[in-house]
Each structure stands twice: as structure tokens, then as C-alpha cells.
Amino acid sequence: MLLRDGAIAPGDSWRAVDDGEDLPAGNVTVTLRRFLAEREQLAARDGEVGVRINPGEDLALAASHADAVNTAALVSIIFPAFTDGRGFSVIRSLRRQGYRGEIRADGSLLPDQFAFLRHCGADTVAIADGEDAQTWLREARALSLAYQAGYAPTDARNILEARAQANRATLRATAITVATPEKT
Amino acid sequence: MYRYDEFDAQVVRERVAQFRGQVARRLAGELSEEEFKPLRLMNGVYLQLHAYMLRVAVPYGTLSSRQLRKLAHIAATYDKNYGHFTTRQNIQFNWPQLRDIPDILGELSEVEMHAIQTSGNCIRNVTADPFAGAAADEIEDPRPICELIRQWSTFHPEFTFLPRKFKIAVTGAPKDRAAIKVHDIGLRMHRNAAGAPGFEVVVGGGQGRTPMIGKTIRRWLARNEILAYLEAIMRVYNLHGRRDNKYKARVKILVHEIGAEQFAAQVEREYENSAGQTRKALPDADEIRRIARHFAPPIGEAEAKADDGEGAKKLRAARAADGGFDLWCRASLAAHKIPGHAIVTVSLKPAGGIPGDATAEQMRSVAGLAERFSHGEVRVSHEQNLVLPWVRAAEVHELWRGLRDSGLAAANAGLAGDIICCPGLDYCTLATARSIPVAQQLGVRLGGTKRQRDIGGLSINISGCINACGHHHVGNIGILGLEKKGREFYQITLGGSADENAAIGDIIGPGFAAEEVGDAVDMVVGTYLKIRRAGETFIDAYRRVGAEPFKEALYAA
Ligand code: SF4
């Protein structure tokens, strides 16, 4: 099941294809290795191409082929374990290097991590079939505020922005008081 | 002191509500201990030998008297009437019931406290110089930066599942009272050639089974660049820190394996890449000023200027008239930034007591004395003592009498009796040996007033296992409790130091049985007394002569 923007997403059009497996029609994701090795074949077919990045194995390769990765229609980050937080930095780095397509978090993850993933820049999270989507959606909203600026917007309100806004409002209010001559 | 605004308060409130739900699910059996574990660890709840333990954050060691009263209340209501101040400036409660913990966290939130990120593989509570804002030698109060770091690191979306825990310490003074060189990141304020204050950035220090002194990766960094730069360090660590072996997962191992230069280069590259985004980003100058305003000294300029030296005179007279008071002053007072004031250390190390423990009554007494004599402010030091930072010289004598009435006037701060000690096998599941009884025994042996004075400045640190929570690696005399074939034994290290000349102690030879440790430490101290030159402290003497004379005294016979 796929969760997008804090809701259950309608059906998923992507198929994960292994190395050496024939490419079916339609949208597919392939491993980073295959994505880089078969770029022409992949581009020549109908359907879009996404790439799967495993933070455990692909870090160096992904970093040295940032331009190629940027052309993928989908980047799927496969978390090897929920305690392995490398994926968060991979997502963040992808956004920073200018990747604008969909980023999907997949693999071993906890409901509590949903909000963090989105904050780092992921659009969608794939959860296992047996999992309770409601728990995920609830946990994503458990904390309504965030201190970190410069990360992707989510429905959590950014504290620093709120404070800056309040500061500006105070300044404006003071400016108006000063500018309005008192009637005597 | 920093006061929460509506947002800070809401962050904590929501967290308490969330954890209340998680505890309810655990108590109802909906969550197994396995599933509950990562959730409770993110809220400072450990499962210890006999009970749950709750570790409450004292951000950069600063407490208000109101907060201290709340801690006393929690100790009295939910625990066995005491709390334990730790080497990370936090406080631990050893006997709370799981079902009470949401209420405890709720009570803490009323006084702007929490247990967030006091455990788990995340950025832990940031620590600082306990004399911050008050020390005579300080360049600038480091706590505004600490508060910025506290907020920035709270539920950081990118850095909450790190390879391992991550500790940051900050000092604003040349004299390092925050042990910054044995932290994952240490920040030391100093002025650059143009006279502007900024931070030296030290990375990869640490203790545990692989003790290391941190390496400088940036000589000077402007204050407003700190968060962006920390983010770069954290990203390099998060991506490249080892995850295959928990014992090699701290950033010190990464720095060691790739070398400080290479690590620095990676951080600088990361920093440059993100600079465009983050340098312009929030927090802006207004926000930094807003936070800094909270830390203005509670003593006004007028009062500071008006000092006529009468207070100091009165203090001198009281010291001359009362030998016991004078001894306490010698150990407990530190030079203040503001004339006519003193920084007072309140030792939590009565001879034979448990280092760092304070009863509810003692916490209330200190809170009351802080209100009368220290503008309601208290600090916790990594030596597990309390500090009253804003005391008028003229009132030190009266303060001392108040402390004495509460059994808090041990005249041993910085001396042999000021033993730093982790909970060890009396509480801790990871322990290989007891540490508290060793501390108690040594406290009695070395804690005689005259003896301590004679020995002079000396740090003794005891840990109950290789995790080194008692910081034994950086004790002038370090004691590590181990276990072999069901028997406890203790390894002694000499020459460690946690200050600006930080050093890891040398293992001196085979360990000692529990009943031999006292004699062994006595022997070490005796050797020092024999070889020292006039005015030479233990650590100076050790650095001059090395381990040999001590080894000989301990093992030759
Ligand atoms: S050093 Fe070991 S025994 Fe002591 S508190 Fe830490 S983990 Fe426990």
C-alpha cells in the first residue's frame, strides 16, 4: 500500500524489476546498477523508469552519478532496517542536488518515521500489506510543529517561520504606531 | 534563563500525549516489550536491573529553582525520595513505575522540562560549562548557542536514526569545564585574528571502549554558521558512520578510520554544497537575538558597577574568622565575571555518600537557597555537583550556613573526595562491577579535611563497565570495574584529564580486587605526595615523571 501526503494513495503503477529480468511494458523501477548500465534500452521503451537506491550498497555510486539519477521519474529508497537512518540523508541529498521527481521510501520503516521522511523530501511511503495504514497516518500527525528550517514543507508548522512571522508583525505594528501622528 | 514560548511548550505537550498513548498500549499488551523499546528509549525510559529508569534532560545543565523543586516533588512522589545527577548534567530517577511515567513527563512539562532524546541513537542533550554566563574567564555565554542546538536537534527529521548516540558539548571559556574534547562534537569559543568570537570545532572525541581525544576540523567558525555546519557534520556521519558493528559506530571511529583531514574535507564539501540553502535559512538574526536575550545576567549593570568591594571584604573577614568556612570557600568558590560576586559549587559528595545523589529535601533546600542567594538559578556540572552561579560575595557565608544545615557543605569540590561515579552494578544492566561502594570507600579514606587539602586538586573517576559513564578514562585516577570468573576487579588508569589539556589515562597494570582498590589508590596518592615538587598538582607531577614510580609502588613488592 502506498501513502502520499498523509493519505492512502490510489493504486500504484510501478513494478519493481530485478536485474536480468525482462522488462515488461509500463512503469518500472530497476536497481541503480541496471539503471546506469542500460540507460539506452530503458529510455527506448514505453513507460517510465524509476530507480531503486539501497543506502547500504549504492551510496558512492548514486553520489557519483547524480545527473543520471536526476533524470529518473521515480527514486525509491530501500531502507534496510528502520534503525538505519542513512535513507533520510539520501532523500535530503537528492532534493539538494535538484531532483524533482517522486521520492518513495520503501523497506523497513516505522509509522513514527513517516513525518520525518516527508520532511526530508519524500513524497510517498510504501508500507507492507499487513500494516495498519491508520496508525501510520495518525503517527504522521502526532507532532504538529517542527524546529528545522530548510526542509520540505509538511503539514507540521515550522516554528522558526512562525516566530519570524510574529516578529515581522510586531515590527509592522510598531512602525504603524510610530508613523501615525497623534491627534490632539 | 531560556523560557519556552508557545511553540516550545506545544512540542513537549504533544510528545507527552503521544507517549501516554504508547504506554497505554504497552500496559494493555498491544505492544510487546520488543516493539515498545524503541519508543520508550526515545523518551528517556530505560529498563534497568530492578526497575525502569527515567532520565530527564537538564539542557546545558541550567535549572531554575522552580524546576529543581519539581524534580524534588517527582523524587518524593514517584521515586524513593532521591534522584541521581549524572556526568552528562542530567538527572535520573531509578524507581519510577512505568504507568506513572506519562504523569511524570506531564509534570515536567509544566516546568518546561522533558526527557526527549536522553537516550537512543540521536543527538543527545547538549552539555555546557556549568559556570556559563558567570565565569570570569569567559568570552561569551555559550548557552544561546546551546539552546539553538537544543531546538534544532529536537526531533530532527534527518538525524534521529544515527549509527549511534551523539553528544555535543560547548564552552565559552578558555578553561574547559565541559570536557569538550571527549565528546562527539566539542565547540570551544575563542576570538579570531579580527577579535570576533567564534567556535573551534572538535570532532571525534569520546570514551567508552575506544577512548579518543577529539580532533579539530575547523579552527574558527562564526556563531551564525554553527547550525549549518553541524548539519554538514551530521550528514557525513549519518551517511558514512559504520553501522555494521555497534562498537565501531560512533563518529570517533569514522574520524579515526578516514583521518581527521579527510573527514574535515568531506564536511567542508557538504557545507559548501548546502551553504546556499542553509546560510540564508532560519533561524535569522532576530531569532538568535530573541534566544540570547533570555540569557542576560540577572544582575543589572548598575549593580555590577556599584560594587565597592565591601562584599569581598566581608567575605574575607568571615573566612579569617572561621577556619571551616574558609576551607569550604577554598574548594567551592570560583571567580565571577561581575565584581562582588562568586560562583559557588555545591558538592554532592559527602564522605561515604553516593556521588551525585540528592534527596528531595536537599533539592528543595538548594532551590530555596538559590532563590535567596542566586537569582533562582542552579547548574548541574559534569562532576555531578550543583552550582549556584550568581551569589553576592557578601552573602556567601550565610549561604554556606544554609548548605551546612542541609548536609550539603562538603568542602571537597575539585579535591580527592569529589569522586565522579556511575551507578554501576547496583542499578545498571550493563555493569560488570559495582562502582558506588568503591566511591564510598575511597570517599571515606581520602575525604579527611586535612588530607584532601594536602593532596590538592585531584579527580578520581569510577565506571562500572567499559562504557565509561563515570568518565574513568579522563580521571587523574581512573577506576574501571570489570569482572573475571564471577569476581569483580578494578583496573586503574593514571594521568587522564578532561579539561583543555584533555588526555586519556594510561592503564597502569593488572587490576585489583575490590578489597585492594582502597590500598592501591592510597599507594598512588602516597607516591605522588613523595615525588611532587612545590605547588605541583597530581596531574602535573604525573606528566613530569610518567607512570614508572607509580607502577613500582603498586607492583614491585
Ligand atoms: S559505565 Fe557501565 S555500569 Fe556505569 S552506568 Fe555506564 S553502562 Fe552502566
Side-chain angles (χ1 to χ4, degrees):
Chain A
M1 195 180 337
L2 206 58
L3 305 177
R4 178 193 297 274
D5 289 340
I8 298 173
D12 178 13
S13 66
W14 295 91
R15 229 195 96 196
V17 179
D18 275 336
D19 289 357
E21 195 183 332
D22 285 342
L23 289 167
N27 299 343
V28 294
T29 66
V30 295
T31 61
L32 178 61
R33 212 161 283 284
R34 185 165 189 186
F35 181 78
L36 295 172
E38 299 176 21
R39 289 189 70 186
E40 277 163 32
Q41 298 92 306
L42 286 164
R45 53 186 285 286
D46 272 342
E48 303 213 73
V49 183
V51 60
R52 300 196 299 275
I53 294 181
N54 185 329
E57 297 148 17
D58 299 335
L59 278 187
L61 201 58
S64 54
H65 292 87
D67 287 344
V69 172
N70 275 355
T71 65
L74 170 86
V75 178
S76 196
I77 313 292
I78 316 292
F79 283 73
F82 73 83
T83 49
D84 185 335
R86 280 178 288 194
F88 293 96
S89 285
V90 173
I91 295 171
R92 173 81 172 142
S93 303
L94 278 170
R95 287 301 179 213
R96 214 192 42 209
Q97 76 191 32
Y99 177 69
R100 291 187 195 287
E102 177 180 339
I103 298 180
R104 178 175 297 189
D106 201 346
S108 170
L109 287 162
L110 295 176
D112 316 69
Q113 294 173 316
F114 192 11
F116 290 161
L117 290 164
R118 292 180 59 211
H119 211 163
C120 285
D123 303 284
T124 49
V125 179
I127 63 173
D129 282 340
E131 290 209 58
D132 178 9
Q134 291 316 317
T135 308
W136 280 75
L137 298 174
R138 191 183 58 235
E139 285 304 324
R141 284 189 300 267
L143 300 172
S144 70
L145 293 165
Y147 282 111
Q148 295 76 23
Y151 282 73
T154 60
D155 22 49
R157 192 160 170 219
N158 188 279
I159 294 173
L160 298 175
E161 277 163 23
R163 282 179 185 151
Q165 239 167 38
N167 274 339
R168 280 195 295 273
T170 325
L171 280 180
R172 263 200 308 277
T174 343
I176 291 166
T177 340
V178 173
T180 318
E182 265 181 22
K183 284 189 187 114
T184 44
Chain B
M1 278 187 62
Y2 185 71
R3 295 302 311 264
Y4 281 10
D5 68 359
E6 55 184 304
F7 303 112
D8 301 308
Q10 193 180 333
V11 165
V12 173
R13 257 197 325 268
E14 288 180 353
R15 181 55 154 208
V16 174
Q18 184 189 37
F19 190 55
R20 193 179 288 281
Q22 291 161 345
V23 169
R25 275 152 67 203
R26 171 74 189 111
L27 291 174
E30 289 169 35
L31 289 175
S32 67
E33 170 53 29
E34 206 61 39
E35 291 166 318
F36 181 57
K37 187 176 169 189
L39 304 176
R40 66 169 163 76
L41 281 180
M42 286 178 215
N43 291 282
V45 182
Y46 285 78
L47 189 54
Q48 291 291 52
L49 278 180
H50 316 289
Y52 282 103
M53 180 270 274
L54 175 66
R55 183 181 295 149
V56 176
V58 180
Y60 36 90
T62 295
L63 278 173
S64 68
S65 56
R66 190 164 152 253
Q67 291 173 323
L68 189 53
R69 282 184 196 284
K70 182 59 93 178
L71 296 175
H73 165 77
I74 288 167
T77 313
Y78 302 101
D79 204 292
K80 296 187 177 177
N81 209 45
Y82 66 94
H84 175 77
F85 289 98
T86 76
T87 51
R88 298 211 66 255
Q89 301 180 309
N90 292 324
I91 183 168
Q92 291 176 185
F93 293 105
N94 285 312
W95 307 98
Q97 298 290 322
L98 180 58
R99 63 165 186 277
D100 289 336
I101 289 179
D103 289 340
I104 299 177
L105 295 178
E107 295 223 29
L108 287 170
S109 72
E110 291 168 16
V111 294
E112 306 179 2
M113 294 186 84
H114 58 70
I116 294 164
Q117 289 172 211
T118 57
S119 52
N121 293 336
C122 54
I123 303 172
R124 300 288 189 89
N125 182 32
V126 53
T127 54
D129 183 352
F131 296 173
D137 65 338
E138 181 175 273
I139 297 164
E140 223 173 63
D141 191 342
R143 291 175 303 160
I145 294 290
C146 294
E147 175 60 25
L148 267 177
I149 296 173
R150 182 191 76 82
Q151 296 187 17
W152 163 82
S153 61
T154 298
F155 307 137
H156 198 293
E158 191 178 343
F159 307 127
T160 300
F161 297 87
L162 298 169
R164 208 63 182 90
K165 58 189 168 185
F166 202 93
K167 301 172 182 179
I168 303 176
V170 192
T171 174
K175 173 96 191 126
D176 181 2
R177 288 172 288 259
I180 66 141
K181 289 189 180 169
V182 284
H183 281 77
D184 295 291
I185 294 179
L187 300 173
R188 180 183 73 88
M189 194 186 288
H190 67 117
R191 292 184 192 280
N192 66 4
F199 286 97
E200 175 186 355
V201 183
V202 179
V203 175
Q207 304 196 46
R209 72 186 61 214
T210 324
M212 283 185 193
I213 301 296
K215 309 273 189 312
T216 301
I217 62 162
R218 218 352 151 106
R219 291 257 155 240
W220 187 90
L221 182 70
R223 286 167 300 178
N224 60 356
E225 294 183 74
I226 288 282
L227 291 189
Y229 198 81
L230 288 182
E231 208 160 282
I233 296 174
M234 296 313 300
R235 188 164 301 128
V236 169
Y237 171 57
N238 190 36
L239 285 171
H240 304 295
R242 286 182 61 172
R243 290 177 186 264
D244 58 330
N245 178 343
K246 140 177 182 185
Y247 300 120
K248 296 192 176 340
R250 295 288 287 266
V251 71
K252 62 189 172 191
I253 303 292
L254 177 62
V255 172
H256 180 73
E257 285 180 353
I258 69 175
E261 269 173 38
Q262 173 62 20
F263 184 84
Q266 288 193 20
V267 169
E268 291 292 336
R269 206 175 315 130
E270 189 60 50
Y271 184 54
E272 276 316 309
N273 281 342
S274 57
Q277 277 174 25
T278 38
R279 269 194 202 139
K280 272 184 267 140
L282 296 165
D284 57 12
D286 284 339
E287 169 66 357
I288 292 171
R289 266 196 299 275
R290 181 190 75 86
I291 290 178
R293 267 199 302 275
H294 287 282
F295 295 96
I299 298 156
E301 293 237 343
E303 190 190 341
K305 283 217 182 79
D307 180 61
D308 54 5
E310 279 307 309
K313 217 155 116 195
K314 192 173 162 198
L315 174 57
R316 272 197 303 277
R319 290 177 66 164
D322 183 340
F325 173 57
D326 182 54
L327 271 182
W328 176 83
C329 283
R330 278 206 247 169
S332 311
L333 301 189
H336 208 287
K337 210 179 239 191
I338 301 174
H341 289 77
I343 302 170
V344 175
T345 297
V346 179
S347 166
L348 295 180
K349 318 287 176 67
I354 299 177
D357 273 15
T359 63
E361 289 75 26
Q362 288 177 324
M363 288 186 229
R364 284 195 194 101
S365 301
V366 174
L369 293 168
E371 278 153 12
R372 278 173 65 200
F373 299 111
S374 180
H375 291 268
E377 201 173 318
V378 182
R379 307 288 175 78
V380 184
S381 72
H382 77 78
E383 290 91 354
Q384 303 175 287
N385 292 320
L386 298 178
V387 171
L388 300 176
W390 309 107
V391 182
R392 280 205 187 94
E395 295 180 335
V396 171
H397 197 208
E398 214 181 325
L399 165 62
W400 172 69
R401 278 195 293 254
L403 289 170
R404 207 182 38 180
D405 291 346
S406 310
L408 289 165
N412 60 10
L415 302 177
D418 189 0
I419 296 168
I420 297 172
C421 174
C422 81
L425 196 54
D426 290 292
Y427 295 99
C428 182
T429 40
L430 302 171
T432 39
R434 285 170 300 169
S435 52
I436 291 171
V438 177
Q440 289 171 314
Q441 179 198 350
L442 288 176
V444 172
R445 269 183 108 116
L446 301 170
T449 319
K450 205 180 145 311
R451 180 107 204 267
Q452 291 196 74
R453 221 39 275 176
D454 191 30
I455 299 167
L458 174 66
S459 61
I460 301 177
N461 295 54
I462 309 171
S463 302
C465 81
I466 193 67
N467 286 321
C469 301
H471 297 179
H472 65 274
H473 293 300
V474 291
N476 296 167
I477 299 176
I479 300 171
L480 164 62
L482 295 165
E483 182 262 356
K484 204 172 11 188
K485 299 200 184 100
R487 280 175 57 88
E488 293 166 314
F489 73 103
Y490 296 84
Q491 195 170 68
I492 293 184
T493 50
L494 297 180
S497 160
D499 59 10
E500 60 284 3
N501 303 311
I504 304 297
D506 309 312
I507 296 174
I508 205 75
F512 296 89
E515 57 282 3
E516 298 167 344
V517 181
D519 286 342
V521 172
D522 247 347
M523 192 78 90
V524 168
V525 170
T527 307
Y528 153 66
L529 292 176
K530 247 184 266 152
I531 59 160
R532 75 170 161 191
R533 293 176 177 166
E536 204 174 43
T537 59
F538 179 91
I539 186 72
D540 290 341
Y542 181 83
R543 284 179 179 156
R544 177 171 56 83
V545 303
E548 257 341 291
F550 297 94
K551 278 190 186 161
E552 207 154 289
L554 282 174
Y555 302 108

